[in-house]
Amino acid sequence: MKRFGGQAAFINRDDINTDEIIPAKYLTEITKTALKPHLLEDLHLEGQIFDPHADEIQKANVLVTGSNFGCGSSREHAVWALEVNDINLVIGKSFARIFRQNMFNCGILAIELQQADLDALFAMPGIITISVDLEQETITAVSDAPETETRTCSFTLNSFDKQLVAAGGWLNFADQNY
Amino acid sequence: MGQTITEKIFAAHKRDTPAPDNMVLDLDVIMCHEITTPIAIMDLVEKGMDRVCDPTKIKAVIDHVTPAKDSKTATQAKIMRDWAARHNIQDFFDIGQNGVCHALFPEKGFIRPGYTVIMGDSHTCTHGAFGAFAAGVGTTDLEVGILKGVCAFRAPQSLKIEVTGTLQPGVVAKDIILHIIKQLTVNGATDMVIEFCGPVITAMNMSSRMTLCNMAVEAGATSGVCLPDEVTAQYLWPFIKDEYDSIEAAISDFSKWHSDADAVYAKELSVDVTDLSPQVTYGYRPDNVKDVAELAGTKIDQVYIGSCTNGRIEDVREAAAILKGKVVAPGVRGILTPATPGIYSQALEEGLIKIFMDSGFCVLNPTCGACLGMSSGVLAEGEVCASTTNRNFNGRMGKGGMVHLMSPASAAAAAVTGVITDPRQLSS
Ligand code: SF4
């Protein structure tokens, strides 16, 4: 099975919508790779400048964010834009239904954490690397900053979501079962 | 224990239960448009799975950018067109017959009470107005729907909203739904189906019910739904008259999809609309809602009347009633795009198009156009649009543009004055 996790990028905002993840003007693309340079291109963060091409985003395999991530348009392009940028895991307080389903349908992970755990992740200094144990339903965050404690948080995934990830996505699952 | 309409539809369509909380449903209708479908088609072709489960269940349209605006959109349309021909999809709508999916498909009678419906489009919830379960999905779900005729959902909970009171003149369904989204917030209904009921809903026509259900997703809902009744049966009658002896028979059959009196809801809400005034959004979230009066005087550059939320004939009439005999304010661009060819020709017949043109509006062919900022009325940086659409996200109608969502009457009033205006000041 695919391995999940890696270096994390942090975007502390709620309600990031799919227009912000990938603007509508790129919906005319008919290949997923064409979306690669445009991830989070239109994202605005109050009081700070967000640069989607910053190192933190470019090197990330994991995105950590707030609540209701992926709301708005149903475009799976939002998930593909993450995928083609090697992001295989989004961690947040909650997700919009269609976005969340699209993630698991593509065989990658959208994991919901308690607010206290999320706050702790956001507070960790240094470069953070996150790994996932699907069996134990835990994620572990390790910082490269000296004397920073490693943090392990638990989550729950329902068994259907796990089956989708194991099958490599909904198309494979449906083809095997229906 | 009683069941909600959604639980009844799920039970009647259940194919599998892959996990205690998840159900795989058989689908009645799979709708497709040229933005999210071509990539599904290409993927199926690449995987050697270029098949469709049942061409009669598939309804396809080119609506988001039509006519094509460049080579890329032309290619998307061509992929759809070739695919529809290859698989003998009869219900395929191209130039001349095409219109905004969520306005066109109901008009063709494709959606019936008790149906399960998916589309690669978040506003698929619109079709819940017919007492169906209709949900927006991503491209992979669409692919599986096309190929296998099934879709998986979490067993949804229901949120019941009873709408009571008496609407004041000049206050319409759009104002009600904006007011409701303000209360629920943008994720207040996540993983739930919003069931709209109560005397105000019973008295509403299908167009208004579609406006309500259309924006259910803006509160995070899986879908919206109205219980099918006489209004539903009257609307569908031309399409179902061979199936029932009388309208009464259809109404009584539809009642099998009514929620039971002892059905269990995750949440219940009662909204009295008697004191409601016209509503408008500010900022970049659809739950940022105020009374129009609070934003009165805000300068606008463009007015956009159309979309799956408010591009139907009733909406065109509502706006025309304000525009009649008046002209668009200097410096304001007015754009009308009737949502379907049927609506367009009806508006022509009723002299409404002339009212729009005389007032200085540009009248476009049916298309999604500027609603998603892809063509026909994209905003420039810093411009402000009074719009009857459903999303005010940052950049939605063009990078750096600001969108204020409102009713067709409010949008028409803004066109005439050049600033956000309570339409009741102009209609009297
Ligand atoms: S009119 Fe706007 S919201 Fe409706 S389907 Fe078209 S793009 Fe989507």
Side-chain angles (χ1 to χ4, degrees):
Chain A
M1 194 170 32
K2 195 176 163 79
R3 290 201 62 81
F4 298 97
Q7 190 174 319
F10 291 81
I11 304 180
N12 200 355
R13 214 201 82 190
D14 296 336
D15 306 309
I16 292 177
N17 64 59
T18 53
D19 278 78
E20 292 172 305
I21 301 170
I22 186 83
K25 61 175 181 254
Y26 302 117
L27 301 185
T28 58
E29 300 295 348
I30 49 173
T31 64
K32 298 177 185 177
T33 42
L35 305 173
K36 194 170 185 328
H38 307 297
L39 177 68
L40 296 165
E41 192 173 281
D42 277 355
L43 183 69
H44 283 257
L45 300 177
E46 207 128 316
Q48 74 191 85
I49 295 177
F50 175 77
D51 175 12
H53 303 294
D55 237 26
E56 194 201 358
I57 304 288
Q58 292 301 311
K59 289 197 177 137
N61 308 109
V62 180
L63 197 63
V64 185
T65 181
S67 67
N68 200 30
F69 184 81
C71 60
S73 154
S74 65
R75 64 189 68 156
E76 200 159 307
H77 303 69
V79 173
W80 302 329
L82 295 167
E83 249 188 328
V84 295
N85 279 287
D86 296 324
I87 293 174
N88 55 48
L89 165 63
V90 182
I91 295 173
K93 177 83 198 315
S94 63
F95 296 93
R97 180 192 68 86
I98 302 174
F99 176 84
R100 186 182 178 286
Q101 192 63 51
N102 288 345
M103 289 288 283
F104 286 98
N105 282 351
C106 288
I108 59 177
L109 295 173
I111 288 178
E112 295 172 349
L113 291 187
Q114 300 292 329
Q115 190 63 50
D117 286 328
L118 264 183
D119 290 344
L121 292 185
F122 274 108
M124 282 176 83
I127 294 171
I128 315 293
T129 304
I130 293 179
S131 58
V132 186
D133 187 333
L134 272 179
E135 207 111 292
Q136 297 297 319
E137 301 193 336
T138 56
I139 62 134
T140 301
V142 181
S143 167
D144 71 343
E147 287 167 43
T148 308
E149 259 181 67
T150 294
R151 186 159 182 113
T152 298
C153 323
S154 23
F155 61 88
T156 50
L157 265 197
N158 91 5
S159 69
F160 182 54
D161 292 335
K162 285 187 187 167
Q163 291 172 58
L164 289 180
V165 173
W170 171 229
L171 186 62
N172 289 346
F173 183 93
D175 200 42
Q176 288 156 17
N177 290 284
Y178 308 111
Chain B
M1 199 174 65
Q3 288 181 305
T4 62
I5 174 173
T6 305
E7 286 165 340
K8 289 183 184 185
I9 297 173
F10 269 51
H13 290 80
K14 189 168 82 184
R15 166 83 75 94
D16 189 16
T17 314
D21 206 27
N22 297 78
M23 273 189 230
V24 174
L25 304 182
D26 283 313
L27 299 170
D28 294 307
V29 180
I30 299 128
M31 309 190 296
C32 300
H33 66 54
E34 90 283 13
I35 296 295
T36 50
T37 315
I39 220 160
I41 296 169
M42 307 257 296
D43 194 51
L44 288 171
V45 169
E46 206 171 286
K47 294 192 162 99
M49 295 167 142
D50 181 26
R51 301 184 295 273
V52 301
C53 59
D54 175 352
T56 65
K57 287 188 174 180
I58 296 180
K59 316 292 171 190
V61 66
I62 295 170
D63 64 351
H64 275 57
V65 185
T66 180
K69 69 176 168 105
D70 54 19
S71 313
K72 282 182 175 171
T73 50
T75 303
Q76 287 182 308
K78 182 169 161 39
I79 293 171
M80 283 286 282
R81 202 174 282 131
D82 293 349
W83 173 73
R86 187 158 81 234
H87 294 291
N88 195 23
I89 296 165
Q90 297 289 315
D91 294 318
F92 168 62
F93 300 89
D94 205 340
I95 295 270
Q97 278 79 45
N98 61 358
V100 177
C101 50
H102 309 308
L104 185 72
F105 293 149
E107 204 181 89
K108 300 286 174 195
F110 292 156
I111 315 301
R112 309 286 171 78
Y115 269 19
T116 48
V117 183
I118 64 163
M119 184 175 203
D121 190 286
S122 59
H123 293 104
T124 307
C125 48
T126 313
H127 307 274
F130 290 85
F133 173 73
V137 297
T139 293
T140 302
D141 272 337
L142 181 67
E143 239 175 287
V144 171
I146 289 169
L147 192 64
K148 304 280 180 183
V150 298
C151 194
F153 290 95
R154 280 193 194 180
Q157 303 198 299
S158 291
L159 160 58
K160 182 178 180 176
I161 301 188
E162 185 164 28
V163 186
T164 61
T166 315
L167 272 182
Q168 303 300 317
V171 184
V172 291
K174 181 65 160 283
D175 302 310
I176 299 179
I177 190 62
L178 287 175
H179 176 66
I180 287 174
I181 294 165
K182 178 185 184 176
Q183 288 189 26
L184 292 176
T185 78
V186 287
N187 60 355
T190 301
D191 280 321
M192 291 189 228
V193 172
I194 303 179
E195 191 175 314
F196 296 99
C197 58
V200 175
I201 309 300
T202 312
M204 266 184 189
N205 60 24
M206 288 311 300
S207 176
S208 294
R209 292 181 190 183
M210 283 190 255
T211 301
L212 286 187
C213 290
N214 176 271
M215 291 194 73
V217 70
E218 306 315 330
T222 303
S223 195
V225 70
C226 298
L227 305 180
D229 58 8
E230 188 183 346
V231 176
T232 326
Q234 292 282 5
Y235 183 103
L236 288 175
W237 187 243
F239 309 101
I240 60 173
K241 60 182 189 311
D242 295 337
E243 293 165 35
Y244 296 101
D245 291 338
S246 63
I247 290 228
E248 289 66 38
I251 298 167
S252 114
D253 184 37
F254 288 175
S255 68
K256 67 173 179 265
W257 300 116
H258 285 192
S259 299
D260 297 325
D262 57 344
V264 181
Y265 293 88
K267 230 189 262 182
E268 292 187 46
L269 202 71
S270 182
V271 176
D272 186 330
V273 294
T274 307
D275 295 326
L276 188 68
S277 59
Q279 303 288 294
V280 61
T281 62
Y282 62 96
Y284 300 120
R285 281 167 47 147
D287 60 355
N288 291 158
V289 174
K290 288 184 173 171
D291 290 352
V292 163
E294 290 176 80
L295 254 71
T298 305
K299 212 181 140 329
I300 55 140
D301 301 289
Q302 179 170 297
V303 172
Y304 188 80
I305 298 178
S307 87
C308 56
T309 320
N310 284 121
R312 283 175 288 272
I313 189 68
E314 292 82 356
D315 305 310
V316 181
R317 286 182 192 135
E318 182 185 313
I322 300 276
L323 289 177
K324 194 168 184 176
K326 303 188 188 74
V327 291
V328 169
V332 172
R333 311 184 296 270
I335 299 174
L336 166 70
T337 167
T340 69
I343 295 163
Y344 200 135
S345 50
Q346 178 72 26
L348 266 175
E349 219 161 274
E350 294 180 20
L352 307 175
I353 298 295
K354 181 150 172 45
I355 293 175
F356 272 88
M357 295 192 75
D358 286 349
S359 76
F361 259 75
C362 154
V363 183
L364 293 179
N365 65 301
T367 176
C368 294
C371 171
L372 78 164
M374 281 180 73
S375 64
S376 315
V378 178
L379 300 175
E381 185 108 35
E383 287 190 329
V384 180
C385 184
S387 178
T388 69
T389 55
N390 48 35
R391 286 204 170 123
N392 56 343
F393 296 159
N394 195 350
R396 172 76 178 180
M397 293 182 81
K399 196 172 177 135
M402 166 60 84
V403 181
H404 293 286
L405 305 176
M406 60 186 78
S407 72
S410 297
V416 169
T417 59
V419 293
I420 292 177
T421 301
D422 189 325
R424 295 174 301 184
Q425 289 174 356
L426 295 186
S427 51
S428 53

